[in-house]
Amino acid sequence: MSLKNYSLGQVGDFEIKQLRIFKSVVDNGGFSAAETELNISRSTISIHISNLESRLNLRLCRRGRGGFALTPEGTAIYEMTSRLLDSLEEFRNQVNEMSQNPAGELRIAVSDGTSLDPRSRFPEMIARFCSRAPEILLQTEVATLADIERMVLNDEADVGLMPYHRQLDGLNYIHLYSDVCRLYCSRNNPLLALEESELTDEVINCFTAVEPGVKPNEEATQQLSGMSLKGRAYFYETRLAMILSGKFIAFLPEAYAEPWVGSGQLKSLGGPERYYRLGIAAVTKKSCQPNKATSLFLDIIEDVHSPHSG
């Protein structure tokens, strides 16, 4: 592509979105690795990059059997993009900081089961935040782990509350509490007709099981290894429904399953060793300075979950 007789013209929101995608591809070392962070397909990423190249009238990268590599022009655009996005974030934060009272909005993305888990103390955090920043528009939504990561990284959410199987370099994590996830079946499951001595790992692993729909941590991977994974459900509610059908077994957080165990509708399998731990954290973007609203909410999280908090 040539710069001859070409003028870029005005840069709008759509070009900034494409530049964000381009930066993510470079940061992740290629299209495939960027799929998880962006939560869009490789073909869609390719279309965005091609359109950006056409818009800029520049060849930004080479992709093919030899792998992903930036052109000299691509390297320059990447560096300018990083400065541009940092400047936009700084502008947004400084405008918010100019107000004596926090204004604007706070966007929180929460994983299912987290907001009403008593250990999260989410309603208490909301109450404290609204008392101290009544002018803030508080926006909350439920999303999957991968979507929460993407939303925070792409500045679509300010804070995420979620279980974490991994820790991404671009995110800060404030550990809140840990879940113990155990293996469960329903009371109408044929496994319950067996004696405890017959419920060996080999027998349990032959029964159809549900995988969590997200790449698990090493501890969870070991527990799922060898199981007959013929179902998939990320959300706890749908995973529970599959267990209650009597056709599947699956792991659930102990605290989430407790009411169903108490009513006799669920039973844990495999003894005390059949479990894995799952951390729950508040996540924010590492590369930017939090605005007033986000900083206030993080202070509240730290206070509510401090060892000395009641």
Side-chain angles (χ1 to χ4, degrees):
M1 297 181 183
S2 171
L3 290 172
K4 185 178 180 181
N5 297 325
Y6 178 77
S7 176
L8 175 61
Q10 188 170 357
V11 176
D13 290 343
F14 190 68
E15 286 82 6
I16 291 175
K17 177 182 178 181
Q18 291 177 329
L19 288 169
R20 289 186 188 277
I21 292 172
F22 170 65
K23 184 176 184 299
S24 176
V25 170
V26 177
D27 289 343
N28 284 279
F31 288 29
S32 298
E35 282 184 289
T36 300
E37 180 178 304
L38 294 170
N39 198 34
I40 55 178
S41 69
R42 197 180 319 177
S43 59
T44 302
I45 294 173
S46 181
I47 291 171
H48 279 296
I49 299 300
S50 294
N51 289 342
L52 178 62
E53 289 179 323
S54 297
R55 179 71 176 87
L56 299 177
N57 198 34
L58 293 170
R59 181 72 177 274
L60 300 178
C61 56
R62 301 183 184 92
R63 54 266 200 194
R65 293 183 178 179
F68 174 84
L70 286 176
T71 63
E73 294 81 4
T75 300
I77 293 296
Y78 172 76
E79 292 172 354
M80 288 188 287
T81 296
S82 297
R83 292 196 296 269
L84 171 64
L85 297 180
D86 287 344
S87 296
L88 286 173
E89 184 63 26
E90 183 180 0
F91 174 81
R92 183 172 75 94
N93 288 336
Q94 288 187 3
V95 169
N96 289 334
E97 292 296 323
M98 290 173 70
S99 172
Q100 184 175 0
N101 297 315
E105 64 178 359
L106 178 68
R107 303 157 300 173
I108 306 174
V110 187
S111 182
D112 75 309
T114 302
S115 58
L116 292 180
D117 189 316
R119 296 169 298 171
S120 76
R121 301 175 70 175
F122 189 48
E124 179 183 346
M125 291 190 285
I126 292 175
R128 291 195 188 192
F129 180 81
C130 291
S131 295
R132 294 174 61 180
E135 300 301 318
I136 293 286
L137 171 64
L138 185 60
Q139 177 180 316
T140 63
E141 61 179 292
V142 175
T144 65
L145 184 153
D147 281 342
I148 293 173
E149 291 173 334
R150 174 188 57 78
M151 291 165 70
V152 174
L153 286 168
N154 291 343
D155 300 313
E156 297 169 14
D158 301 299
V159 182
L161 299 179
M162 65 178 198
Y164 60 101
H165 289 279
R166 60 182 179 179
Q167 294 195 36
L168 300 181
D169 289 339
L171 296 176
N172 287 316
Y173 293 77
I174 302 174
H175 180 81
L176 304 181
Y177 60 94
S178 293
D179 262 326
V180 172
C181 296
R182 297 195 181 277
L183 185 62
Y184 293 96
C185 71
S186 68
R187 62 186 176 187
N188 58 338
N189 190 294
L191 287 175
L192 289 192
L194 302 178
E195 299 291 334
E196 288 292 334
S197 60
E198 297 177 293
L199 286 173
T200 62
D201 283 342
E202 290 76 14
V203 170
I204 291 172
N205 286 349
C206 288
F207 198 85
T208 52
V210 181
E211 60 178 308
V214 64
K215 186 177 180 181
N217 59 27
E218 184 177 348
E219 197 175 348
T221 299
Q222 291 176 355
Q223 290 290 346
L224 293 166
S225 177
M227 297 185 72
S228 180
L229 300 172
K230 296 183 178 179
R232 180 178 298 154
Y234 171 83
F235 290 109
Y236 295 147
E237 182 178 338
T238 50
R239 201 183 306 174
L240 173 61
M242 294 177 77
I243 300 173
L244 292 173
S245 74
K247 301 298 183 182
F248 293 91
I249 58 176
F251 283 91
L252 284 173
E254 199 171 40
Y256 185 87
E258 184 178 2
W260 303 87
V261 173
S263 65
Q265 296 185 71
L266 290 185
K267 182 178 180 180
S268 63
L269 292 171
E273 300 303 317
R274 202 70 191 250
Y275 77 95
Y276 62 85
R277 297 179 202 81
L278 184 60
I280 313 298
V283 298
T284 55
K285 189 174 180 180
K286 185 179 291 185
S287 61
C288 65
Q289 179 66 33
N291 56 40
K292 273 188 176 181
T294 303
S295 294
L296 173 58
F297 194 75
L298 292 178
D299 288 343
I300 291 170
I301 290 175
E302 294 276 14
D303 185 47
V304 167
H305 286 275
S306 71
H308 307 294
S309 178

